Amino acid sequence: ALTVRLRTPASANPDIIKPDPAAASGFDVRPSDAGEIDWGLGLWPDEKMPELAKVPLDANEKMLRADHHLTVLDDTYGKRRLAGMASLNASDAVIPPSRFMLEVYEQMGLRAGVGRHVRLGLPHFDQIHRRAKLSPFYRVRPKTEDRPVRLAFFGTTRNNKGFAVLADAIEMLDVADRQRCHFLIRVAGNPWPFRKRLSRFPEVNLTGGYDPVLLYASAPEYDAAIMAHVWFENSPLVLLEHFHAGKFVIGPRLGGPVDWVIEPGTDAEHPLGNGLFFAGGDPAGLAAAISRVARGEVTLPSPEEIHRATTLVSYPEHVREVADLYADVCGIGGGATGEPSVSVVPGLMAATEVSKTS
């Protein structure tokens, strides 16, 4: 069925963006413009940005210390959680790709000895990594003294990815800091409300979704990356894609990314680090981190320095570790025979049955 939506009158839509009264002013720039260009793109009432909650910087630690959620109620969620843990405990090995998630499983009742942290490797990670090493700029730090620092956000418009947090942060930036930036944003989903909201800022280039081939070719387009998730990510592919590309990452101190990110000055061996943290769901914290980079208060490392500071594994290394784990739980080469099939669960995926005879 065809749905026709009539435009809301301006009087009934107080959030509409008013057309620029100086649209016919030619080349003149007024001090009051604050660097913005108003295209007069109106927001519909149902296009308001979601209000995402802020979480504390130590949310990971609070999650691991908490025990109230271990009291299972006789409801759908409680039964699902019990069934999920029973499934994991029936497995011979559970291999989440972040150490934080392994600790969460253990805190929620995973039996001792069954969990193992196995870092993720994927073929397109390797392609991105090799592309960085092949670049003549592999050992060159981004030089942003005489140009804007280029910041990328790759993701979706789903609330959990926190795109609304980035949109809020861009609006909060001091004009001078914002003009020292250029934002390359590639998001899948429905970006049109965000596009209208951010259309005032000429520093924002918002396009559609992306795929591994675009990632492979996009490394020269940005100096550092932004993540803004508002939930406990396990092992975000986008984070690892940026690190394999040799990029500094600004992101929430929330979930699995804490396993990888080293802030400047916290590691004697890698003094420049590989990223900055802010509290999840906190646009002001994200704006402050962006401003530090824009003002040159943070030295962006070269791709080589990012690679040296970051624990990354290749796809062949990942496959080898998983294959060794299969061999271990199957008793291959260890003398065990005639046992039934076993299961290895990566994260919360369903158990995969593996025949010992295969």
Side-chain angles (χ1 to χ4, degrees):
L2 177 63
T3 300
V4 178
R5 182 168 67 171
L6 300 178
R7 184 167 182 80
T8 304
S11 59
N13 184 6
D15 296 310
I16 192 169
I17 299 175
K18 302 298 191 298
D20 182 3
S25 295
F27 295 160
D28 292 341
V29 176
R30 304 164 303 173
S32 60
D33 287 335
E36 297 181 18
I37 304 294
D38 193 338
W39 295 89
L41 296 175
L43 291 174
W44 293 82
D46 61 354
E47 291 177 334
K48 287 187 176 181
M49 302 297 104
E51 295 183 7
L52 304 176
K54 177 182 174 181
V55 299
L57 275 172
D58 61 346
N60 278 21
E61 290 75 15
K62 288 186 175 180
M63 173 67 177
L64 295 175
R65 290 195 304 265
D67 59 8
H68 61 274
H69 57 286
L70 299 179
T71 302
V72 180
L73 301 177
D74 187 22
D75 58 11
T76 301
Y77 171 78
K79 293 174 180 178
R80 285 178 59 194
R81 191 180 72 75
L82 286 177
M85 290 311 303
S87 175
L88 292 182
N89 280 325
S91 304
D92 296 88
V94 179
I95 53 173
S98 76
R99 193 175 303 280
F100 168 72
M101 289 309 301
L102 175 57
E103 293 174 351
V104 170
Y105 298 155
E106 292 173 342
Q107 194 264 356
M108 296 187 74
L110 183 67
R111 61 187 174 88
V114 72
R116 177 168 164 179
H117 174 211
V118 176
R119 292 184 184 272
L120 187 63
L122 289 173
H124 81 283
F125 289 174
D126 293 359
Q127 293 170 335
I128 295 170
H129 197 109
R130 290 198 302 272
R131 187 255 182 271
K133 287 186 173 180
L134 286 171
S135 170
F137 306 105
Y138 182 57
R139 295 175 177 83
V140 178
R141 295 174 182 172
K143 298 180 176 62
T144 61
E145 296 86 356
D146 56 357
R147 66 165 175 81
V149 60
R150 299 170 299 197
L151 301 163
F153 178 91
F154 294 162
T156 75
T157 58
R158 293 196 303 269
N159 287 352
N160 61 298
K161 297 301 182 183
F163 186 21
V165 177
L166 174 58
D168 286 343
I170 291 174
E171 289 190 332
M172 290 179 178
L173 286 171
D174 179 81
V175 176
D177 289 341
R178 193 187 73 235
Q179 292 181 328
R180 291 288 306 159
C181 299
H182 181 76
F183 297 92
L184 172 66
I185 300 175
R186 287 178 173 163
V187 289
N190 177 25
W192 183 234
F194 291 94
R195 188 190 301 274
K196 289 197 287 186
R197 177 182 174 185
L198 296 173
S199 64
R200 311 192 314 273
F201 307 119
E203 298 82 17
V204 177
N205 178 14
L206 198 165
T207 62
Y210 67 96
D211 57 38
V213 175
L214 284 176
L215 287 174
Y216 170 86
S218 64
E221 299 177 21
Y222 66 105
D223 305 306
I226 295 172
M227 296 185 66
H229 56 274
V230 294
W231 70 344
F232 289 111
E233 291 273 12
N234 186 345
S235 175
L237 300 188
V238 176
L239 175 75
L240 297 177
E241 287 162 349
H242 289 312
F243 279 149
H244 280 286
K247 303 298 182 179
F248 191 87
V249 178
I250 303 170
R253 192 183 186 281
L254 188 62
V258 177
D259 291 358
W260 283 270
V261 175
I262 300 171
E263 291 201 283
T266 62
D267 187 313
E269 187 176 355
H270 307 290
L272 297 183
N274 61 9
L276 283 178
F277 282 132
F278 64 95
D282 180 15
L286 174 54
I290 291 172
S291 293
R292 289 183 61 191
V293 174
R295 296 170 186 170
E297 297 172 7
V298 175
T299 300
L300 296 179
S302 68
E304 181 191 37
E305 289 170 318
I306 293 290
H307 283 171
R308 284 197 275 109
T310 312
T311 302
L312 300 170
V313 300
S314 70
Y315 182 57
E317 289 171 331
H318 172 74
V319 171
R320 189 178 306 116
E321 183 173 6
V322 174
D324 288 345
L325 180 58
Y326 273 118
D328 182 49
V329 297
C330 290
I332 298 174
T337 59
E339 296 294 331
S341 61
V342 298
S343 57
V344 175
V345 185
L348 286 175
M349 295 174 62
T352 302
E353 296 298 324
V354 184
S355 170
K356 280 197 171 184
T357 61
S358 56

